[in-house]
Structure formats: C-alpha cells, structure tokens
Amino acid sequence: GWLVETVRTLLPHAELRLDANGTLDPLSLGERLHALRAYSPAYVEEPCALADMLAAEAPPVPFAIDESLAGADGDEALARALACDHICAVVLKPTLLGGLMRCWSMAQKARAAGRRTIISHLMEGPIARAACAHLALAIGPETAGLGEHPALGPLSDGFTTPWIDDAWIAPPELPGLGLELAF
C-alpha cells in the first residue's frame, strides 16, 4: 500500500492502472482489492490466474487481462475473459501474442464486447515501440501504454521516436515507422 498511496497523493487525478503480475493469493484477493479500492484504480491487471479472476464474485476493483492471453489457448482465454463482466480491459503486447495482426483481431473482439483495449510492449527498443504505437493509433483513442522505459536507450541503435510521449502519440507525417536518428 504505501507506494500506491504515495502515487495517488502526488497524482490525485491521474488514472491509476495497477499490475499485480499474478502475485495475489486468490484466497485473500477480496481483502486486497477492498484495500486498493480506496485509491480508485481503473483496474488491477492480472491479479491472479485467469481461472481465479473469472471465479471472483463482484470484485470491488475491475480486472484487466494481459499475460493470460499468451500461448496457444490465447483466443480461448480472451473469449472467457470477454464473457466475464468484471474484466474491463484487455492489454495486448504484439511481441508476446504473435504479432500486430493477431493483436488487431483480439482488439476488435475486445472492443466489440465493450472492453477497453490497451496496446503495450515488452520493454523493447524504438522499432517495436513505434510498431505498437501505429497499432494503437489504428485501433482508436486511449489505447496506448507505451511510455518511456529504461531499456529504450540501450536498445535504440541511435533511433528515437519523438512522436511518442508518455501522455500522447502524434502520428508521424511521413510513411513508415517514424524513426529518427538521435545523432
């Protein structure tokens, strides 16, 4: 709690997206979510295994699905998640899920089911980040989770993506991924 409390105190109006990476014990999930509700998070991403998320009864904080979509049964996991009322968002990482077109298809299913779709990445360099940003732009507003990260510089090979910021994406004017040389 103290980190979430600190962030909420410093940024009282910011959207707070929490990611538990499957670490919450399903037996104490309700208790933990009730404690987090005081901070008004938009959702808790992958608090536990998908089966436990689906079995939760009226959680006080909605869930987002992410890593549960990886693997051969990802489409089945998505269908099960979209049938669950307390899963409000789908986080799609093209490198993890089999590419841009597969994520496009999953995003269309999620949007048709009225779920929020967020495009993210696996802490890759500017080329993958730019491709993800283009996918986010194609899907629609409020889809990006593509902020700066520590690995971006070392993986850059001198390329930058100045049209992608932590809070916005401004499509590049020229065709292509919109990469620029930093030197």
Side-chain angles (χ1 to χ4, degrees):
W2 69 267
L3 180 58
V4 176
E5 182 177 357
T6 301
V7 170
R8 179 50 77 209
T9 300
L10 293 173
L11 303 167
H13 304 292
E15 180 182 57
L16 189 58
R17 301 175 186 174
L18 304 177
D19 187 350
N21 288 316
T23 62
L24 299 184
D25 180 0
L27 298 176
S28 61
L29 183 61
E31 179 183 321
R32 296 289 300 270
L33 293 174
H34 278 290
L36 291 172
R37 186 171 75 178
Y39 306 108
S40 303
Y43 55 76
V44 176
E45 182 181 322
E46 296 279 341
C48 51
L50 178 59
D52 295 317
M53 284 191 280
L54 298 174
E57 293 187 30
V61 177
F63 300 142
I65 187 170
D66 181 357
E67 295 90 0
S68 294
L69 299 172
D73 62 344
D75 290 319
E76 178 187 326
L78 179 63
R80 292 186 0 234
L82 296 179
C84 181
D85 290 336
H86 50 268
I87 294 182
C88 71
V90 177
V91 178
L92 301 172
K93 296 175 178 157
T95 306
L96 178 66
L97 299 177
L100 298 170
M101 292 310 295
R102 181 151 189 252
C103 285
W104 171 264
S105 174
M106 293 174 121
Q108 297 311 309
K109 291 173 186 174
R111 306 245 336 174
R115 299 310 194 278
R116 184 173 183 185
T117 304
I118 295 133
I119 303 299
S120 191
H121 53 73
L122 295 174
M123 304 297 182
E124 296 134 323
I127 294 171
R129 184 175 182 228
C132 289
H134 279 285
L135 178 61
L137 288 168
I139 290 170
E142 299 183 11
T143 59
L146 299 168
E148 293 280 337
H149 59 82
L152 202 53
L155 295 173
S156 74
D157 288 331
F159 291 109
T160 65
T161 50
W163 54 279
I164 307 170
D165 192 75
D166 289 340
W168 49 261
I169 299 173
E173 294 181 20
L174 297 175
L177 290 177
L179 299 170
E180 294 181 12
L181 285 173
F183 46 85

